[in-house]
Amino acid sequence: MKENEKISGKALIPFLVFIVIYLATGIVLHLRGVEMAFYQLPAPIAAFVGIISAFLLFGGSIDEKFDNLVAGCGDSNIIIMCLIYILAGAFSALASASGGVDSVVGLGLSFVPAKFLTAGVFLIACFISIATGSSVGTITALGPIAVGLAKSGGINMALMLGALVGGSMFGDNLSVISDTTIAATRTQNCEMKDKFRMNLKMALPAGIITFILLLILGAPESQPAQKDLSYDIIKIIPYIFVLVVALMGVNVFLVLTGGIVLSGIVLLMNNGFDLLALSQTMWEGFTGMFEIFLLSMLIGGLSNMVTKEGGINWIIAKIRKFAKGEKSGELGIAALVSLADVAIANNTVAIIISGPIAKKMCNEYKIDPRRSASLLDTFSCVFQGIVPYAAQVLIAASFTKGAVAPFQIIPYFWYQFILGVVSIISIYVPFTQAKDKWNFEYDMAESKVAGHVKNLEDNEQAHA
């Protein structure tokens, strides 16, 4: 860290304003019995209040502060992230409208023996969430079926819901079209395929262990009633295409565009859609991502303002007190994103907030950014799948009509607990390391060039 760089804990106050407003509103509404209490206040509104507080607290002219805000909102990583969001939204909307999710559920449950239903629901949730990139969407699609199977088969309802949420978080953590994956890779400036490979080395062992435990301990007490679950393999093709092609390393924009085209073809062939209806469904997908799109831009702007005032440097200075190298630095990144998620119960927002700090820590402690992206996504998903006021847990519990409270499911979040343990072990036993070393010299040089260009632009503006 350069001596002339600002270091200020006061600069973090706007972030705290955002978090406190968001969290306090959720707590108050929850105590009043409001459903989905932590999702009633739109996160961009809380972020906007944080930005206002930054304008009031930080020094400099209004124009200077506005320039810092806009520079952060228009950062190339933020814009790329937002474009990926709207493409992912369009693909998800088209694939869902074509019946793809229902076909995936039907296909999976058609091949699962009755005595392995709990483990089967976990496995199907894993596949659906990887294919769709949405843990909430997976729980919404599979939840009613999972609850019905638990009731008819005498399966512990909390255990079934724990398996459902666990499988959904498995895919949320790994999917190449998940908003958490997009946020983690863009903030750390690394490729999705590389982050996927690192994540898989942690998620797969945790998933296998969970699956085995559910096979042993999750057997139903009676024979469940048979369900009529039909499926159409054609409708699953877009999901398979996106998953396979993304893992081949194809540019994510091409991957999602290909998925949109395939889903559109399936819709036109099988659902009686015309081009106008197709375009309207795509637009619904775009607008469905508006909140996270706007939030990413506002948080990007706020983050840049906080960084300019020395807030990020203050955090790094504090972490330096216990971080002695790469391992303790990784532990710091894991703790940072975990605390952020516990505070705001939104894993994507937690990553967006923690990402810039993590990126700076990568250069400080020579942490591979691919590893940093993996840690950000993994630990945010671990805690998002545990806290009882997160959307995933609230939605899962809501299918029981009050029979099972969110807090009652916590002991059955086996996958999340196991993933957390495996991930911590991976910090001290580096079995996730990439074969090739990250080029930190190039990374630093690129950063210096960007800084030099920014200084030239500032000088030109000053002379103007």
Side-chain angles (χ1 to χ4, degrees):
M1 191 180 299
K2 296 178 181 179
E3 292 184 2
N4 61 349
E5 287 185 342
K6 290 184 179 180
I7 301 178
S8 172
K10 177 184 174 182
L12 294 171
I13 291 177
F15 263 149
L16 294 177
V17 169
F18 161 62
I19 292 172
V20 168
I21 289 176
Y22 192 79
L23 182 61
T25 302
I27 292 174
V28 170
L29 293 177
H30 177 72
L31 293 175
R32 291 180 178 178
V34 177
E35 291 186 4
M36 302 292 291
F38 286 84
Y39 294 84
Q40 294 300 314
L41 174 67
I45 300 300
F48 183 63
V49 176
I51 289 172
I52 292 175
S53 69
F55 271 83
L56 295 174
L57 289 170
F58 295 167
S61 68
I62 292 293
D63 288 340
E64 288 173 342
K65 288 182 278 192
F66 187 74
D67 286 342
N68 288 334
L69 173 66
V70 173
C73 292
D75 180 82
S76 61
N77 283 322
I78 295 293
I79 297 302
I80 290 171
M81 187 192 307
C82 290
L83 291 175
I84 294 173
Y85 282 147
I86 62 173
L87 287 177
F91 169 70
S92 178
L94 289 174
S96 178
S98 69
V101 174
D102 294 335
S103 285
V104 170
V105 172
L107 175 64
L109 291 179
S110 296
F111 290 94
V112 176
K115 62 180 180 179
F116 300 141
L117 276 176
T118 310
V121 166
F122 172 77
L123 197 61
I124 295 166
C126 290
F127 179 69
I128 295 174
S129 54
I130 288 178
T132 63
S134 173
S135 53
V136 171
T138 299
I139 293 169
T140 302
L142 193 55
I145 296 174
V147 169
L149 291 173
K151 287 180 178 178
S152 62
I155 301 171
N156 183 319
M157 184 65 74
L159 175 61
M160 176 64 85
L161 294 177
L164 171 63
V165 176
S168 301
M169 298 315 299
F170 177 91
D172 196 330
N173 179 217
L174 288 176
S175 176
V176 293
I177 60 172
S178 167
D179 48 6
T180 59
T181 295
I182 295 167
T185 53
R186 293 318 308 173
T187 58
Q188 304 309 294
N189 195 25
C190 63
E191 296 291 332
M192 287 189 180
K193 61 177 181 177
D194 296 327
K195 176 259 181 190
F196 175 87
R197 290 166 184 163
M198 287 195 169
N199 267 36
L200 189 64
K201 294 175 183 177
M202 295 184 289
L204 188 58
I208 291 173
I209 293 171
T210 303
F211 183 70
I212 292 172
L213 288 175
L214 290 172
L215 284 177
I216 298 172
L217 303 174
E221 297 175 2
S222 59
Q223 183 71 20
Q226 293 296 317
K227 302 285 182 179
D228 180 20
L229 295 167
S230 59
Y231 60 89
D232 184 349
I233 198 68
I234 299 295
K235 296 179 180 179
I236 303 174
I237 290 177
Y239 288 125
I240 297 173
F241 168 83
V242 167
L243 180 61
V244 172
V245 176
L247 295 180
M248 291 170 60
V250 177
N251 181 282
V252 65
F253 289 100
L254 295 178
V255 171
L256 290 173
T257 301
I260 289 170
V261 171
L262 284 176
S263 297
I265 292 172
V266 172
L267 267 173
L268 293 173
M269 289 174 55
N270 299 301
N271 292 69
F273 268 57
D274 55 24
L275 290 176
L276 183 59
L278 187 70
S279 65
Q280 291 172 344
T281 303
M282 286 183 62
W283 177 245
E284 289 174 4
F286 286 168
T287 56
M289 288 292 186
F290 175 73
E291 181 173 344
I292 191 62
F293 183 105
L294 181 58
L295 179 63
S296 296
M297 291 188 67
L298 293 178
I299 290 295
L302 179 60
S303 177
N304 192 53
M305 295 181 73
V306 169
T307 300
K308 292 290 184 182
E309 287 296 308
I312 304 300
N313 289 336
W314 185 86
I315 293 175
I316 292 176
K318 294 299 179 182
I319 292 176
R320 271 179 168 174
K321 293 182 178 180
F322 77 86
K324 304 300 181 182
E326 182 180 353
K327 288 183 173 60
S328 51
E330 288 186 2
L331 194 62
I333 291 173
L336 179 66
V337 74
S338 299
L339 290 172
D341 189 80
V342 169
I344 58 181
N346 188 310
N347 45 347
T348 304
V349 179
I351 292 171
I352 293 171
I353 292 173
S354 307
I357 303 172
K359 181 60 177 174
K360 201 157 188 176
M361 290 174 65
C362 287
N363 293 328
E364 185 83 11
Y365 300 108
K366 296 295 183 287
I367 300 169
D368 190 328
R370 296 168 294 189
R371 170 67 173 161
S372 176
S374 176
L375 290 172
L376 286 170
D377 200 348
T378 299
F379 279 94
S380 67
C381 283
V382 166
F383 283 90
Q384 184 69 15
I386 291 176
V387 291
Y389 45 85
Q392 289 83 347
V393 181
L394 292 173
I395 292 172
S398 70
F399 289 120
T400 67
K401 308 297 183 182
V404 177
F407 288 94
Q408 293 176 284
I409 314 174
I410 293 178
Y412 299 97
F413 290 141
W414 296 349
Y415 172 73
Q416 293 90 305
F417 293 131
I418 295 169
L419 177 62
V421 171
V422 172
S423 300
I424 292 173
I425 292 173
S426 75
I427 294 175
Y428 298 98
V429 183
F431 57 84
T432 66
Q433 283 185 345
K435 293 180 180 179
D436 59 314
K437 295 293 183 180
W438 186 265
N439 189 345
F440 284 100
E441 292 183 3
Y442 174 79
D443 205 24
M444 292 297 289
E446 191 178 38
S447 177
K448 289 178 180 178
V449 169
H452 180 62
V453 171
K454 182 66 171 64
N455 289 334
L456 290 175
E457 291 175 348
D458 291 342
N459 290 334
E460 288 178 2
Q461 291 178 0
H463 286 105

